[in-house]
Amino acid sequence: MSATSVLFDAPGPRARRASLIGSVVSLTAITAGAAWIIWILAAPRVSGGITLPGMFDASRWDILTDPQVWGFIGTGVAATLQAAAVAAAGAVALGVVLSLLRSSRLPWVRIPTAILLEFFRGMPVLLMMLFILLVASTGAFWAVVLALIVYNGTLIGEALRAGLAALPRGQREAALSLGMREFQSKLLVEFPQALRQMLPIIVAQLVVLLKDTSLGYIVGYNEIIRSNMNNLASFFGNRYLFTLFVVTLVIYLTINLLLSWLARWLSWRTASGSGTVAAGADPGTADPTSAIRLVQAASTAQHPGTGTHL
Amino acid sequence: MTQLWSLMPEFWGGLRMTVLLLAVSGGLSLVLGTVITALRISPVPVLRWFAAIWTEVARNTPLTLVFFFTAFVLPMLGVRAPFLLLALVALTYYTSPFVAEALRSGINGVPVGQAEAARSIGLGFGQTVTLVVLPQAFRMTIPPLINVYIALTKNTSVAGGFFVVEMFATTRQLVNDNGNIVLPLLLVAAALYLVVTVPLGFAAVQLEKRWVVSR
């Protein structure tokens, strides 16, 4: 956020006053908006001549004191995390393989991989889930997991390939001059560096993967949304729909924000670590396109979520 | 084959709905995303925090949950609206922080010296942003923005699970009705999605190549 401080002067007394007024006005507006929403939610509502209690009435929240309900919610969370964990492991593994194939020197390996990557990147995950569900008839769990592996694996593979391409050419030349084979150089010298460079992007992609397990709701996998909102809400009645929605939202936000912060922390750590490497490299001998790619890759790494996401 | 051809009108209808969702929610989220970006870089701290919190919450909520809110919770709260409108709201809300992040990364990508030079010749905040920073940020923003729209194209399929008959819902319906040609139907659906996403991706790569050099 260095740009922000440059866009306006260090505020003098008048600007400070204007900023203070702006702060107070906007804070009032935001508070008023929030209060309005809360007031609407809290108001009792009339439906078909019957008056129902507002959204914050105790009778809408009493199920949360029931440990069995929490046990059921826990099952949903476990199902989501299980699908996410299996898919994450698979996606990283597939990504590694794809990035190696994609950056191969053999055209008959590289080109089909590139086409395959393009194909899977342009397709909705949901359609893939439906595809696997119907064509392979694997059941909902594997439909969700396999589709997420294929989709996120291609994106992680693409990120790793960009990382490989962004490495200084000297790394490879040095490895080859030491007598390493092409594949040894790739696996022992280039790949570990690319992986480290792209780690924040990969973790950001895993957040996306976790969010996408919620698509299981549509194809019939009992993850959090389906188990909370469909099963619990239909068991206890529509009265608790809002309550269960809030619970689900809080669970998702907690898990995802923790993962996002991990991604940001990794990004900050790798950025500070690679700074010395970049400063040590001689700009004169570096390949200009690879330098540009490195800058791009680094700038994407600074903002996980803007590169590969959703 | 003739059976497959006879189903093309349905696919066409689904594709039209998908493109409609993409165009309308894409336009709306561009507007909303621009507003959030403006708040994010504004001199008023409260607005910056508000925009940051909005971005963080919206980005970390699964799209399915957002759709669930608009399609089930809102009607329960008394909002009466057609499902298409609710789907557009969900897609816009979900896409806006990604648009905002793309715009913000573009603004951050403009060299600091540009803003400093603008400041030093006496331009104010509004002038610096609109005359100097944004025109340069724009070209750095287009490729990531296209990527956001590619993702949005794919995300419109979630609307198919919530009562909007677009490509995904159409395909699911057709597959249920024509059990003998499941595989061809799914491949046609995949191809139709690629018809939208591949040209967008190609444009992003081309623009990125051209503009990276000219900077």
Coordinates of all heavy atoms in Angstrom, one line a residue, chain A residues 1 6-9 22-23 26 30 45 55 119 121-124 126-127 131 134-135 151 211 214-215 217-218 225 229 238 245 249 252 256-257 260 264 292 296 304 306 309-310, chain B residues 44-45 47 50 56 59-62 64-65 68-69 72 76-77 94 98 101 104 112 115-116 119 125 151 154-155 157-158 162 168 172 175 183 186 190 193-194 197 208 212:
Chain A
M1 N 0.8 -1.2 0.0 CA 0.0 0.0 0.0 C 0.9 1.2 0.0 O 0.5 2.2 0.6 CB -0.9 0.0 1.2 CG -2.0 -1.0 1.2 SD -3.1 -0.8 -0.2 CE -3.9 0.8 0.3
V6 N 1.4 8.1 -1.2 CA 1.9 9.1 -2.2 C 0.8 9.9 -2.8 O 1.0 11.0 -3.3 CB 2.7 8.3 -3.3 CG1 3.2 9.3 -4.3 CG2 3.8 7.5 -2.7
L7 N -0.4 9.3 -2.9 CA -1.5 9.9 -3.6 C -2.0 11.2 -3.0 O -2.6 12.0 -3.6 CB -2.7 8.9 -3.7 CG -2.5 7.7 -4.5 CD1 -3.6 6.7 -4.5 CD2 -2.2 8.1 -6.0
F8 N -1.7 11.4 -1.7 CA -2.1 12.6 -1.1 C -1.0 13.1 -0.1 O -0.2 12.3 0.3 CB -3.5 12.5 -0.4 CG -3.7 11.2 0.3 CD1 -3.2 11.0 1.6 CD2 -4.4 10.2 -0.3 CE1 -3.5 9.8 2.2 CE2 -4.7 9.0 0.3 CZ -4.2 8.8 1.6
D9 N -1.0 14.4 0.2 CA 0.0 15.0 1.0 C -0.1 14.4 2.4 O -1.2 13.9 2.9 CB -0.3 16.5 1.1 CG 0.4 17.2 0.0 OD1 1.5 16.8 -0.4 OD2 -0.1 18.2 -0.5
G22 N -14.9 13.3 7.3 CA -15.2 12.2 6.4 C -15.4 10.9 7.2 O -16.3 10.1 6.9
S23 N -14.4 10.7 8.1 CA -14.5 9.4 8.9 C -15.7 9.4 9.7 O -16.4 8.3 9.7 CB -13.3 9.4 9.8 OG -12.1 9.1 9.2
S26 N -18.8 8.8 7.3 CA -18.9 7.5 6.8 C -19.1 6.4 7.8 O -19.9 5.5 7.6 CB -17.7 7.2 5.9 OG -16.5 7.5 6.6
I30 N -22.2 3.9 7.8 CA -22.0 2.5 7.9 C -22.7 1.9 9.1 O -23.4 0.9 9.0 CB -20.5 2.1 8.0 CG1 -19.8 2.5 6.6 CG2 -20.3 0.6 8.3 CD1 -18.3 2.4 6.7
R45 N -41.8 -11.0 12.1 CA -42.4 -10.9 10.8 C -43.7 -11.7 10.7 O -43.9 -12.7 11.4 CB -41.4 -11.5 9.7 CG -40.8 -12.8 10.1 CD -39.5 -13.0 9.3 NE -38.5 -12.1 9.7 CZ -38.0 -11.1 9.0 NH1 -38.5 -11.0 7.7 NH2 -37.1 -10.3 9.4
M55 N -35.3 -12.5 14.0 CA -34.2 -13.4 13.8 C -33.3 -13.6 15.0 O -32.5 -14.5 15.1 CB -33.3 -12.9 12.6 CG -34.0 -13.0 11.3 SD -34.5 -14.7 10.9 CE -36.0 -14.5 10.1
F119 N -7.8 -27.1 -21.8 CA -9.2 -27.6 -21.8 C -9.8 -27.6 -20.4 O -10.9 -27.2 -20.1 CB -9.1 -29.1 -22.3 CG -10.4 -29.8 -22.3 CD1 -11.4 -29.4 -23.3 CD2 -10.7 -30.8 -21.4 CE1 -12.6 -30.1 -23.3 CE2 -11.9 -31.4 -21.4 CZ -12.9 -31.1 -22.3
R121 N -8.8 -25.9 -17.7 CA -8.8 -24.6 -17.1 C -10.1 -23.9 -17.5 O -10.6 -23.0 -16.8 CB -7.6 -23.8 -17.4 CG -6.5 -24.1 -16.5 CD -5.5 -23.0 -16.5 NE -5.1 -22.5 -17.8 CZ -4.5 -21.4 -18.0 NH1 -4.1 -20.7 -17.0 NH2 -4.2 -21.0 -19.3
G122 N -10.6 -24.1 -18.7 CA -11.7 -23.4 -19.2 C -13.1 -24.0 -18.8 O -14.1 -23.5 -19.2
M123 N -13.1 -25.0 -18.1 CA -14.3 -25.7 -17.8 C -14.8 -25.5 -16.3 O -13.9 -25.4 -15.4 CB -14.2 -27.2 -18.0 CG -14.7 -27.7 -19.3 SD -15.5 -29.2 -19.0 CE -14.2 -30.3 -18.7
P124 N -16.1 -25.3 -16.1 CA -16.5 -25.2 -14.7 C -16.3 -26.4 -13.9 O -16.5 -27.5 -14.4 CB -18.0 -24.9 -14.8 CG -18.2 -24.6 -16.2 CD -17.2 -25.2 -17.0
L126 N -18.0 -27.5 -11.6 CA -19.3 -28.2 -11.4 C -19.6 -29.1 -12.5 O -20.1 -30.3 -12.3 CB -20.4 -27.1 -11.3 CG -21.7 -27.4 -10.7 CD1 -21.4 -28.1 -9.3 CD2 -22.5 -26.2 -10.5
L127 N -19.3 -28.7 -13.8 CA -19.5 -29.6 -14.9 C -18.6 -30.8 -14.8 O -19.1 -31.9 -15.2 CB -19.3 -28.8 -16.2 CG -19.8 -29.4 -17.5 CD1 -21.3 -29.5 -17.5 CD2 -19.3 -28.7 -18.7
F131 N -19.8 -34.6 -14.7 CA -19.1 -35.6 -15.7 C -18.7 -36.8 -15.0 O -19.0 -38.0 -15.3 CB -18.0 -34.9 -16.3 CG -17.4 -35.6 -17.5 CD1 -17.7 -35.2 -18.8 CD2 -16.5 -36.7 -17.3 CE1 -17.2 -35.9 -19.9 CE2 -16.0 -37.4 -18.4 CZ -16.4 -37.0 -19.7
L134 N -21.5 -38.9 -13.5 CA -22.4 -39.7 -14.5 C -21.6 -40.7 -15.3 O -22.0 -41.8 -15.4 CB -23.0 -38.7 -15.4 CG -24.1 -37.8 -14.8 CD1 -24.6 -36.8 -15.8 CD2 -25.2 -38.6 -14.2
V135 N -20.4 -40.3 -15.7 CA -19.6 -41.2 -16.6 C -18.9 -42.2 -15.9 O -18.9 -43.4 -16.2 CB -18.7 -40.3 -17.5 CG1 -17.9 -41.3 -18.4 CG2 -19.5 -39.4 -18.4
Y151 N -9.1 -29.8 -11.6 CA -9.2 -28.4 -11.9 C -8.0 -27.7 -11.2 O -7.3 -26.9 -11.8 CB -10.5 -27.9 -11.4 CG -10.7 -26.4 -11.6 CD1 -11.0 -25.9 -12.9 CD2 -10.6 -25.5 -10.6 CE1 -11.1 -24.6 -13.1 CE2 -10.8 -24.2 -10.8 CZ -11.0 -23.7 -12.0 OH -11.2 -22.4 -12.2
K211 N -13.0 -23.7 -0.7 CA -14.3 -23.1 -0.9 C -15.1 -23.9 -1.9 O -16.3 -24.0 -1.8 CB -14.1 -21.7 -1.5 CG -13.7 -20.7 -0.5 CD -13.9 -19.3 -0.9 CE -13.1 -18.9 -2.1 NZ -13.4 -17.5 -2.6
S214 N -17.7 -26.7 -1.5 CA -19.1 -26.4 -1.2 C -19.9 -26.8 -2.4 O -21.2 -26.9 -2.3 CB -19.2 -25.0 -0.8 OG -18.9 -24.2 -1.9
L215 N -19.3 -26.9 -3.6 CA -20.1 -27.3 -4.8 C -20.7 -28.7 -4.6 O -21.6 -29.1 -5.3 CB -19.2 -27.3 -6.0 CG -18.7 -25.9 -6.4 CD1 -17.8 -26.0 -7.6 CD2 -19.9 -25.0 -6.8
Y217 N -22.5 -29.5 -2.4 CA -23.9 -29.3 -2.1 C -24.8 -29.6 -3.3 O -25.9 -30.2 -3.2 CB -24.1 -27.8 -1.7 CG -25.6 -27.4 -1.6 CD1 -26.4 -27.8 -0.5 CD2 -26.1 -26.6 -2.6 CE1 -27.7 -27.4 -0.5 CE2 -27.5 -26.3 -2.5 CZ -28.2 -26.7 -1.5 OH -29.5 -26.3 -1.4
I218 N -24.3 -29.2 -4.5 CA -25.2 -29.3 -5.7 C -25.2 -30.7 -6.2 O -26.2 -31.2 -6.7 CB -24.7 -28.3 -6.8 CG1 -24.9 -26.9 -6.2 CG2 -25.5 -28.4 -8.1 CD1 -24.3 -25.8 -7.1
I225 N -22.5 -27.2 3.9 CA -23.7 -26.5 3.5 C -24.8 -27.5 3.5 O -25.9 -27.3 4.0 CB -23.5 -25.8 2.2 CG1 -22.4 -24.8 2.3 CG2 -24.8 -25.2 1.7 CD1 -22.2 -23.9 1.1
M229 N -27.5 -26.9 6.1 CA -28.7 -26.1 5.6 C -29.8 -27.0 5.1 O -30.9 -26.7 5.2 CB -28.2 -25.2 4.5 CG -26.9 -24.5 4.7 SD -27.1 -23.4 6.1 CE -27.9 -22.0 5.3
N238 N -37.8 -24.7 9.1 CA -37.3 -23.5 8.4 C -37.0 -22.4 9.4 O -36.2 -21.5 9.1 CB -38.4 -23.0 7.5 CG -37.8 -22.6 6.1 OD1 -36.7 -23.0 5.8 ND2 -38.6 -22.0 5.3
F245 N -27.5 -20.7 8.8 CA -26.7 -20.0 7.8 C -25.6 -19.3 8.5 O -24.4 -19.3 8.0 CB -27.6 -19.1 7.0 CG -26.8 -18.1 6.1 CD1 -26.3 -18.6 4.9 CD2 -26.6 -16.8 6.5 CE1 -25.6 -17.8 4.1 CE2 -25.8 -16.0 5.7 CZ -25.3 -16.5 4.5
L249 N -21.6 -19.8 7.8 CA -20.8 -18.7 7.4 C -19.6 -18.5 8.3 O -18.5 -18.3 7.8 CB -21.6 -17.4 7.3 CG -20.9 -16.2 6.8 CD1 -20.5 -16.3 5.4 CD2 -21.8 -14.9 6.9
Y252 N -17.0 -21.2 7.8 CA -16.2 -21.1 6.6 C -15.2 -19.9 6.7 O -14.1 -20.0 6.3 CB -17.1 -20.8 5.4 CG -17.4 -22.1 4.6 CD1 -18.6 -22.6 4.4 CD2 -16.3 -22.7 4.0 CE1 -18.9 -23.7 3.7 CE2 -16.5 -23.9 3.2 CZ -17.8 -24.3 3.1 OH -18.0 -25.5 2.3
N256 N -11.2 -20.3 6.2 CA -10.6 -19.6 5.1 C -9.7 -18.5 5.4 O -8.6 -18.3 4.8 CB -11.7 -19.1 4.1 CG -12.3 -20.3 3.4 OD1 -11.7 -21.3 3.2 ND2 -13.5 -20.1 2.9
L257 N -10.1 -17.7 6.5 CA -9.3 -16.6 6.9 C -7.9 -17.1 7.4 O -6.9 -16.5 7.1 CB -10.0 -15.7 7.9 CG -11.1 -14.8 7.3 CD1 -11.8 -14.0 8.3 CD2 -10.5 -13.8 6.2
S260 N -5.9 -18.0 4.5 CA -5.5 -16.8 3.7 C -4.3 -16.1 4.4 O -3.4 -15.7 3.8 CB -6.6 -15.8 3.6 OG -7.7 -16.4 2.8
R264 N -0.6 -15.3 3.1 CA 0.0 -14.0 3.1 C 1.3 -14.0 3.9 O 2.3 -13.4 3.5 CB -1.0 -13.0 3.8 CG -0.9 -11.6 3.2 CD -2.1 -10.9 3.5 NE -3.3 -11.4 2.8 CZ -4.5 -11.0 3.1 NH1 -4.7 -10.0 3.9 NH2 -5.5 -11.6 2.4
I292 N 11.4 -10.2 -16.7 CA 10.0 -9.7 -16.7 C 9.1 -10.7 -16.1 O 8.2 -10.3 -15.3 CB 9.6 -9.4 -18.2 CG1 10.3 -8.1 -18.7 CG2 8.1 -9.1 -18.2 CD1 10.2 -7.9 -20.2
Q296 N 6.7 -10.3 -12.9 CA 5.2 -10.7 -12.9 C 4.9 -11.7 -11.9 O 3.9 -11.5 -11.1 CB 4.9 -11.2 -14.3 CG 4.7 -10.2 -15.3 CD 4.4 -10.8 -16.6 OE1 4.9 -11.9 -17.0 NE2 3.5 -10.2 -17.4
P304 N -1.8 -12.7 -3.5 CA -2.4 -14.0 -3.7 C -3.9 -13.8 -3.9 O -4.5 -13.1 -3.2 CB -2.1 -14.8 -2.5 CG -1.7 -13.8 -1.4 CD -1.2 -12.6 -2.1
T306 N -5.1 -12.6 -6.8 CA -5.4 -11.9 -8.1 C -4.9 -12.8 -9.3 O -5.4 -12.6 -10.4 CB -4.7 -10.6 -8.1 OG1 -3.3 -10.8 -7.9 CG2 -5.2 -9.7 -7.1
H309 N -7.4 -17.9 -9.1 CA -8.3 -17.8 -8.0 C -9.7 -18.3 -8.5 O -9.9 -18.6 -9.6 CB -8.4 -16.4 -7.5 CG -8.8 -15.4 -8.5 ND1 -10.1 -15.4 -9.0 CD2 -8.2 -14.5 -9.1 CE1 -10.2 -14.5 -9.8 NE2 -9.0 -13.9 -10.0
L310 N -10.6 -18.2 -7.6 CA -12.0 -18.5 -7.7 C -12.2 -20.0 -7.9 O -11.6 -20.6 -8.8 CB -12.7 -17.8 -8.9 CG -12.7 -16.3 -9.0 CD1 -13.7 -15.8 -10.0 CD2 -12.8 -15.6 -7.7
Chain B
V44 N -9.8 8.6 3.6 CA -10.6 8.5 4.9 C -10.4 7.1 5.4 O -10.7 6.1 4.8 CB -12.1 8.7 4.6 CG1 -12.9 8.6 5.9 CG2 -12.3 10.1 4.0
P45 N -9.8 6.9 6.6 CA -9.4 5.6 7.1 C -10.6 4.7 7.3 O -10.5 3.5 6.9 CB -8.8 5.9 8.5 CG -8.4 7.3 8.5 CD -9.3 8.0 7.5
L47 N -13.3 4.4 5.6 CA -13.7 3.8 4.3 C -12.7 2.8 3.9 O -13.1 1.7 3.3 CB -13.9 4.9 3.2 CG -15.0 5.9 3.5 CD1 -15.0 7.0 2.4 CD2 -16.3 5.2 3.6
F50 N -13.5 -0.3 5.9 CA -14.8 -0.9 5.4 C -14.5 -1.7 4.2 O -14.9 -2.9 4.0 CB -15.8 0.2 5.2 CG -17.1 -0.3 4.6 CD1 -18.0 -1.0 5.4 CD2 -17.4 -0.1 3.3 CE1 -19.2 -1.5 5.0 CE2 -18.6 -0.6 2.8 CZ -19.5 -1.3 3.6
E56 N -12.3 -8.9 2.3 CA -11.9 -10.1 3.0 C -13.0 -11.1 3.2 O -12.9 -12.3 3.0 CB -11.3 -9.7 4.3 CG -10.3 -10.7 4.9 CD -9.0 -10.8 4.1 OE1 -8.9 -10.3 2.9 OE2 -8.0 -11.3 4.6
R59 N -14.4 -12.5 -0.2 CA -13.5 -13.4 -0.9 C -13.4 -14.7 -0.2 O -13.1 -15.7 -0.9 CB -12.1 -12.8 -0.9 CG -11.7 -12.3 -2.3 CD -10.4 -11.6 -2.2 NE -9.4 -12.4 -1.7 CZ -8.1 -12.1 -1.8 NH1 -7.8 -11.0 -2.5 NH2 -7.2 -12.8 -1.3
N60 N -13.7 -14.8 1.1 CA -13.6 -16.0 1.8 C -14.9 -16.8 2.0 O -14.9 -17.7 2.8 CB -12.8 -15.8 3.1 CG -11.4 -15.5 2.9 OD1 -10.6 -16.4 2.4 ND2 -10.9 -14.3 3.1
T61 N -15.9 -16.3 1.4 CA -17.2 -17.0 1.5 C -17.4 -17.8 0.3 O -17.2 -17.3 -0.8 CB -18.4 -16.0 1.6 OG1 -18.0 -15.0 2.5 CG2 -19.6 -16.7 2.0
P62 N -17.7 -19.1 0.4 CA -17.9 -19.9 -0.8 C -19.1 -19.4 -1.6 O -20.1 -18.9 -1.0 CB -18.2 -21.3 -0.3 CG -17.8 -21.3 1.1 CD -17.8 -19.9 1.6
T64 N -21.2 -21.0 -3.3 CA -22.4 -21.8 -3.0 C -23.2 -21.2 -1.8 O -24.4 -21.2 -1.9 CB -22.0 -23.2 -2.7 OG1 -21.0 -23.6 -3.6 CG2 -23.2 -24.1 -3.0
L65 N -22.4 -20.8 -0.8 CA -23.1 -20.3 0.4 C -23.7 -18.9 0.1 O -24.8 -18.6 0.5 CB -22.0 -20.1 1.5 CG -22.6 -19.9 2.9 CD1 -23.4 -21.1 3.3 CD2 -21.5 -19.8 3.9
F68 N -26.8 -19.7 -1.7 CA -27.8 -20.2 -0.7 C -28.5 -19.1 0.0 O -29.7 -19.1 0.2 CB -27.1 -21.2 0.3 CG -28.0 -22.0 1.0 CD1 -28.3 -23.3 0.6 CD2 -28.7 -21.6 2.1 CE1 -29.2 -24.1 1.2 CE2 -29.6 -22.4 2.8 CZ -29.8 -23.6 2.3
F69 N -27.7 -18.1 0.4 CA -28.2 -16.9 1.0 C -29.3 -16.2 0.2 O -30.4 -16.0 0.6 CB -27.1 -16.0 1.4 CG -27.6 -14.7 2.1 CD1 -28.0 -14.8 3.5 CD2 -27.8 -13.5 1.5 CE1 -28.5 -13.7 4.1 CE2 -28.3 -12.4 2.1 CZ -28.6 -12.5 3.5
F72 N -32.3 -18.9 -0.8 CA -33.2 -19.5 0.2 C -33.4 -18.6 1.4 O -34.5 -18.4 1.9 CB -32.6 -20.8 0.8 CG -32.6 -21.9 -0.2 CD1 -31.4 -22.4 -0.7 CD2 -33.8 -22.4 -0.7 CE1 -31.4 -23.4 -1.7 CE2 -33.8 -23.5 -1.7 CZ -32.6 -24.0 -2.1
M76 N -36.8 -16.3 2.6 CA -37.4 -16.5 3.9 C -37.5 -15.3 4.7 O -38.4 -15.1 5.5 CB -36.5 -17.5 4.6 CG -37.1 -18.1 5.9 SD -35.9 -18.5 7.2 CE -35.1 -16.9 7.5
L77 N -36.6 -14.3 4.4 CA -36.6 -13.0 5.1 C -37.6 -12.1 4.5 O -37.8 -11.0 5.0 CB -35.2 -12.4 5.1 CG -34.1 -13.1 5.9 CD1 -32.8 -12.4 5.7 CD2 -34.5 -13.1 7.4
Y94 N -20.0 -11.8 -5.1 CA -18.9 -12.6 -5.0 C -17.7 -12.2 -5.9 O -16.6 -12.3 -5.6 CB -19.3 -14.1 -5.4 CG -18.2 -15.1 -5.3 CD1 -17.8 -15.6 -4.1 CD2 -17.4 -15.5 -6.4 CE1 -16.8 -16.5 -3.9 CE2 -16.4 -16.4 -6.3 CZ -16.1 -16.9 -5.0 OH -15.1 -17.8 -4.9
F98 N -12.9 -9.5 -6.2 CA -11.8 -10.0 -7.1 C -11.5 -8.9 -8.1 O -10.3 -8.7 -8.5 CB -12.2 -11.3 -7.8 CG -12.3 -12.5 -6.8 CD1 -13.5 -12.9 -6.4 CD2 -11.1 -13.1 -6.4 CE1 -13.5 -13.9 -5.5 CE2 -11.2 -14.1 -5.5 CZ -12.4 -14.5 -5.0
E101 N -9.5 -6.3 -6.3 CA -8.1 -6.7 -6.1 C -7.3 -6.5 -7.4 O -6.2 -6.1 -7.4 CB -8.0 -8.1 -5.6 CG -8.4 -8.3 -4.2 CD -7.4 -7.5 -3.3 OE1 -6.3 -8.0 -3.0 OE2 -7.7 -6.4 -2.8
R104 N -6.8 -2.9 -7.8 CA -5.8 -2.3 -6.9 C -4.4 -2.8 -7.2 O -3.5 -2.0 -7.0 CB -6.2 -2.8 -5.5 CG -5.5 -2.1 -4.3 CD -6.1 -2.4 -3.0 NE -5.8 -3.8 -2.7 CZ -4.8 -4.1 -1.8 NH1 -4.1 -3.2 -1.3 NH2 -4.5 -5.3 -1.6
V112 N 5.9 4.5 -8.2 CA 5.6 5.6 -7.3 C 5.9 6.9 -7.8 O 5.3 7.9 -7.5 CB 6.3 5.3 -5.9 CG1 6.0 6.3 -4.9 CG2 5.9 3.9 -5.4
A115 N 3.1 9.1 -9.4 CA 2.3 9.8 -8.4 C 3.0 10.9 -7.8 O 2.5 12.0 -7.6 CB 1.7 8.8 -7.4
E116 N 4.3 10.7 -7.5 CA 5.1 11.7 -6.9 C 5.2 12.9 -7.8 O 5.1 14.1 -7.4 CB 6.5 11.2 -6.5 CG 6.5 10.3 -5.3 CD 7.8 9.6 -5.0 OE1 8.6 9.6 -6.0 OE2 8.0 9.0 -4.0
R119 N 2.0 14.8 -7.9 CA 1.9 15.6 -6.6 C 2.8 16.8 -6.7 O 2.3 17.9 -6.3 CB 2.3 14.7 -5.4 CG 1.4 13.5 -5.2 CD 0.0 13.9 -4.7 NE 0.1 14.7 -3.5 CZ -0.7 15.8 -3.3 NH1 -1.5 16.1 -4.2 NH2 -0.6 16.5 -2.2
F125 N -5.5 15.0 -4.9 CA -5.8 13.5 -4.9 C -6.6 13.1 -6.1 O -6.2 12.2 -6.8 CB -6.5 13.2 -3.6 CG -7.0 11.8 -3.5 CD1 -6.1 10.7 -3.4 CD2 -8.4 11.5 -3.6 CE1 -6.6 9.4 -3.4 CE2 -8.8 10.2 -3.6 CZ -7.9 9.1 -3.5
A151 N -13.1 -16.6 -14.7 CA -13.5 -17.3 -13.5 C -15.0 -17.1 -13.4 O -15.8 -18.1 -13.0 CB -12.8 -16.9 -12.3
K154 N -17.1 -19.4 -15.5 CA -17.2 -20.7 -14.9 C -18.1 -20.7 -13.7 O -18.9 -21.7 -13.4 CB -15.8 -21.3 -14.5 CG -15.0 -21.5 -15.8 CD -13.7 -22.1 -15.5 CE -12.7 -21.0 -15.1 NZ -11.4 -21.5 -14.9
N155 N -18.1 -19.6 -12.9 CA -18.9 -19.6 -11.7 C -20.4 -19.4 -12.0 O -21.2 -19.8 -11.1 CB -18.5 -18.4 -10.8 CG -17.2 -18.7 -10.1 OD1 -16.8 -19.8 -9.9 ND2 -16.4 -17.6 -9.8
S157 N -22.0 -21.3 -13.6 CA -22.6 -22.6 -13.5 C -23.2 -22.9 -12.2 O -24.1 -23.8 -12.1 CB -21.5 -23.7 -13.8 OG -20.5 -23.7 -12.8
V158 N -22.7 -22.3 -11.1 CA -23.3 -22.5 -9.8 C -24.8 -22.0 -9.8 O -25.6 -22.6 -9.1 CB -22.5 -21.8 -8.7 CG1 -23.1 -22.1 -7.3 CG2 -21.1 -22.2 -8.7
F162 N -29.2 -23.4 -8.5 CA -30.1 -22.6 -7.7 C -31.2 -22.0 -8.6 O -31.4 -20.8 -8.6 CB -29.4 -21.5 -6.9 CG -28.5 -22.1 -5.8 CD1 -27.2 -22.4 -6.1 CD2 -29.0 -22.3 -4.6 CE1 -26.4 -22.9 -5.1 CE2 -28.2 -22.9 -3.6 CZ -26.9 -23.2 -3.8
F168 N -25.3 -25.2 -17.2 CA -25.2 -26.3 -16.4 C -26.5 -27.0 -16.1 O -26.7 -28.2 -16.2 CB -24.5 -26.0 -15.0 CG -24.4 -27.1 -14.1 CD1 -23.5 -28.1 -14.3 CD2 -25.2 -27.2 -13.0 CE1 -23.4 -29.2 -13.4 CE2 -25.1 -28.2 -12.1 CZ -24.2 -29.2 -12.3
R172 N -27.7 -30.7 -17.2 CA -28.2 -31.7 -16.2 C -29.5 -32.2 -16.6 O -29.8 -33.5 -16.6 CB -28.2 -31.1 -14.8 CG -28.3 -32.2 -13.8 CD -27.9 -31.7 -12.4 NE -28.7 -30.6 -12.0 CZ -28.6 -30.1 -10.7 NH1 -27.8 -30.7 -9.8 NH2 -29.4 -29.1 -10.3
V175 N -29.2 -34.4 -19.8 CA -28.6 -35.7 -19.4 C -29.6 -36.6 -18.8 O -29.7 -37.8 -19.0 CB -27.4 -35.5 -18.5 CG1 -27.0 -36.8 -17.9 CG2 -26.2 -34.9 -19.3
L183 N -22.5 -39.0 -22.6 CA -21.1 -38.5 -22.9 C -21.1 -37.4 -23.9 O -20.5 -36.3 -23.7 CB -20.2 -39.6 -23.3 CG -18.7 -39.4 -23.2 CD1 -18.3 -39.0 -21.8 CD2 -17.9 -40.6 -23.7
L186 N -22.4 -34.1 -22.4 CA -21.4 -33.4 -21.5 C -20.3 -32.8 -22.3 O -19.8 -31.7 -22.0 CB -20.9 -34.4 -20.5 CG -21.9 -34.9 -19.5 CD1 -21.3 -36.0 -18.7 CD2 -22.3 -33.7 -18.6
A190 N -19.2 -28.9 -22.4 CA -17.8 -28.4 -22.1 C -17.3 -27.6 -23.3 O -16.7 -26.5 -23.0 CB -16.9 -29.7 -22.0
Y193 N -18.7 -24.1 -23.1 CA -18.0 -23.2 -22.1 C -16.7 -22.7 -22.6 O -16.3 -21.6 -22.5 CB -17.8 -24.0 -20.8 CG -19.0 -23.9 -19.8 CD1 -19.8 -24.9 -19.6 CD2 -19.2 -22.7 -19.2 CE1 -20.8 -24.8 -18.7 CE2 -20.3 -22.5 -18.3 CZ -21.1 -23.6 -18.1 OH -22.1 -23.5 -17.2
L194 N -16.0 -23.7 -23.3 CA -14.7 -23.3 -23.9 C -14.8 -22.2 -24.9 O -14.0 -21.4 -25.1 CB -14.0 -24.5 -24.5 CG -13.5 -25.5 -23.4 CD1 -12.9 -26.7 -24.1 CD2 -12.6 -24.9 -22.4
T197 N -14.7 -19.2 -22.8 CA -13.5 -18.9 -22.0 C -12.2 -18.8 -22.8 O -11.3 -18.0 -22.4 CB -13.4 -19.9 -20.8 OG1 -13.4 -21.2 -21.4 CG2 -14.5 -19.8 -19.8
E208 N -1.4 -9.0 -22.5 CA -0.3 -9.0 -21.5 C 1.0 -8.9 -22.2 O 1.9 -8.2 -21.8 CB -0.4 -10.3 -20.7 CG 0.3 -10.2 -19.3 CD -0.3 -11.2 -18.3 OE1 -1.1 -12.0 -18.7 OE2 0.1 -11.1 -17.2
V212 N 3.2 -5.6 -21.6 CA 4.4 -5.8 -20.8 C 5.6 -5.1 -21.5 O 6.4 -4.5 -20.8 CB 4.7 -7.3 -20.5 CG1 6.1 -7.5 -20.3 CG2 4.0 -7.6 -19.2

